[in-house]
C-alpha cells in the first residue's frame, strides 16, 4: 500500500497538542478529518511524536497509507480549503512502505522564543520576560546541556519514555533586537524537557536559582528535583531530521 510523508506547520494556540485524545481538539485529529473528507474514507495519520498543548510547529512530520496513488498537488490544494487557518500541510511525498515518521527520525530541533518588550505580533508564539537576565549565566547552562545526559531532573514520569537519556547535539542562545531564542537539537526528547530546561535557565538568569544548582540537576538527575517549566506558547518544533533528509 502506498505510503505518504507529510510536512505540517501549525499554530498550537487553540489545540490540546498533536496527539488525539477524548473531548479535546488536537492537530492530529484535524488532519485525519481533513484527509478522510478529501479521500472519502478513513485515514490514520502517524506523527513523529507528540507536542504539548499550546506548542507550535514549523515542520511536524507524519505519514499515512492509502490504497492507491495520490496526486500531490491536488491533495495539498484540497487541504488548503478544508483545514483550519492555523494548520497547513505544506509538503507531501510518496515514500517507501517501510518508512516510519517516528521510528526513522534521527533528530528533532526546537527553538524557544522569548521577547524582551511587549510585541503584539510575536506574543502568541513567545514568552514575554521583562526581568533583567544574566545572559552569561544562561549561556553557560546551555553549554552544559550539550552531550549525552539523563534528563530526569527536567521531565515527569512517562510510561512511553521510561528512559530519560538524550544525546544533545546543540544547545545555545541567540539574540536579535528585542528577541532571545534558545535552540536545541537532540536525537530524542522526553516529556516537557525543553520547556523545563528553558524555564530553569531563565530562573538562573533572573538570579532565583544558581548555576551550581543547575549543574547539580544535570550531573545528579532525579525526577524529585524541581525544574521550572516555561510557558508552552514560546516553544516551536523547527525540524525533524531523517538519514536521507
Amino acid at each position: 500500500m502506498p505510503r505518504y510523508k507529510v510536512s505540517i506547520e501549525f499554530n498550537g494556540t487553540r489545540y490540546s497538542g498533536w496527539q488525539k485524545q477524548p473531548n479535546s481538539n488536537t492537530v492530529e485529529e484535524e488532519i485525519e478529518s481533513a484527509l478522510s473528507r478529501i479521500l472519502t474514507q478513513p485515514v490514520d495519520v502517524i506523527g513523529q511524536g507528540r507536542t504539548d498543548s499550546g506548542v507550535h510547529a514549523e515542520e511536524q512530520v507524519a505519514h499515512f497509507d492509502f490504497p492507491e496513488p495520490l496526486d500531490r498537488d491536488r491533495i495539498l490544494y484540497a487541504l488548503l480549503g478544508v483545514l483550519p487557518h492555523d494548520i497547513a500541510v505544506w509538503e507531501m511525498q510518496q515514500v517507501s512502505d517501510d518508512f516510519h515518521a517516528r521510528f526513522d527520525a534521527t533528530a528533532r530541533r526546537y527553538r524557544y522564543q522569548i521577547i524582551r518588550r511587549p510585541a503584539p505580533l510575536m506574543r502568541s508564539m513567545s514568552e514575554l520576560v521583562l526581568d533583567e537576565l544574566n545572559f552569561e549565566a544562561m549561556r553557560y547552562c546551555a553549554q552544559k546541556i550539550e552531550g549525552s545526559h539523563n534528563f530526569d531532573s527536567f521531565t515527569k514520569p512517562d510510561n512511553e519514555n521510561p528512559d530519560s537519556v538524550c544525546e544533545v547535539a546543540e544547545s545555545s542562545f541567540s539574540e536579535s533586537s528585542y528577541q532571545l531564542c534558545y535552540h536545541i537539537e537532540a536525537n530524542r526528547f522526553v516529556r516537557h524537557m525543553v520547556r523545563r530546561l528553558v524555564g530553569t535557565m531563565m530562573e538562573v538568569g533572573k538570579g532565583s536559582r544558581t548555576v551550581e544548582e543547575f549543574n547539580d540537576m544535570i550531573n545528579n538527575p532525579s525526577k524529585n528535583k524541581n525544574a521550572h517549566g516555561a510557558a508552552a506558547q514560546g516553544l516551536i518544533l523547527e525540524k525533524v531530521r531523517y538519514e536521507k533528509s
Side-chain angles (χ1 to χ4, degrees):
M1 183 179 292
R3 177 161 292 185
Y4 298 90
K5 173 187 174 186
V6 290
S7 297
I8 305 146
E9 180 169 325
F10 60 84
N11 182 320
T13 302
R14 296 194 307 122
Y15 301 97
S16 299
W18 163 264
Q19 192 171 30
K20 286 184 296 183
Q21 49 192 295
N23 304 315
S24 295
N25 190 22
T26 68
V27 179
E28 183 181 36
E29 183 179 21
E30 290 283 356
I31 293 171
E32 284 191 350
S33 176
L35 284 170
S36 298
R37 178 177 170 187
I38 293 165
L39 300 173
T40 66
Q41 67 180 65
V43 175
D44 183 27
V45 173
I46 307 297
Q48 64 80 28
R50 63 190 179 193
T51 56
D52 292 334
S53 177
V55 173
H56 320 288
E58 288 180 352
E59 188 184 21
Q60 167 73 311
V61 175
H63 75 260
F64 68 93
D65 296 333
F66 195 72
E68 59 188 62
L70 296 176
D71 183 320
R72 167 192 174 276
D73 293 337
R74 185 185 77 82
I75 299 301
L76 291 178
Y77 185 77
L79 285 167
L80 275 176
V82 176
L83 284 170
H85 70 280
D86 46 11
I87 301 175
V89 177
W90 54 266
E91 181 58 287
M92 185 180 96
Q93 56 182 301
Q94 187 171 345
V95 291
S96 62
D97 58 9
D98 63 348
F99 170 83
H100 198 285
R102 178 181 178 186
F103 298 130
D104 289 352
T106 58
R108 285 90 169 164
R109 182 178 179 85
Y110 285 87
R111 76 173 179 272
Y112 192 93
Q113 299 185 158
I114 301 164
I115 47 176
R116 307 288 289 132
R117 67 153 172 84
L121 293 179
M122 296 289 294
R123 190 68 180 93
S124 68
M125 298 182 67
S126 308
E127 181 166 3
L128 176 63
V129 179
L130 299 178
D131 308 74
E132 289 295 322
L133 294 175
N134 182 339
F135 292 152
E136 184 177 348
M138 293 172 66
R139 289 192 179 98
Y140 172 85
C141 292
Q143 291 174 354
K144 296 292 290 185
I145 294 166
E146 290 187 354
S148 181
H149 301 285
N150 181 324
F151 287 95
D152 270 350
S153 300
F154 301 93
T155 187
K156 61 189 297 186
D158 187 344
N159 292 332
E160 290 188 19
N161 289 299
D163 175 9
S164 299
V165 175
C166 307
E167 181 72 35
V168 178
E170 179 187 350
S171 171
S172 63
F173 282 99
S174 65
E175 290 182 77
S176 60
S177 183
Y178 58 87
Q179 188 180 46
L180 178 66
C181 285
Y182 174 64
H183 310 273
I184 184 168
E185 182 168 325
N187 65 329
R188 63 190 291 264
F189 291 90
V190 288
R191 194 174 185 189
H192 296 172
M193 173 179 157
V194 181
R195 290 165 53 196
R196 292 188 178 196
L197 284 169
V198 174
T200 307
M201 285 190 286
M202 282 200 290
E203 286 198 326
V204 172
K206 294 174 183 178
S208 58
R209 196 183 298 242
T210 66
V211 167
E212 290 73 24
E213 287 176 297
F214 188 89
N215 280 339
D216 179 67
M217 297 176 78
I218 292 288
N219 297 328
N220 301 292
S222 169
K223 286 188 172 71
N224 295 322
K225 293 184 176 175
N226 186 28
H228 178 71
Q233 68 193 49
L235 185 58
I236 301 167
L237 172 63
E238 281 189 354
K239 181 74 176 175
V240 184
R241 301 194 191 279
Y242 298 86
E243 282 192 3
K244 296 180 180 179
S245 64

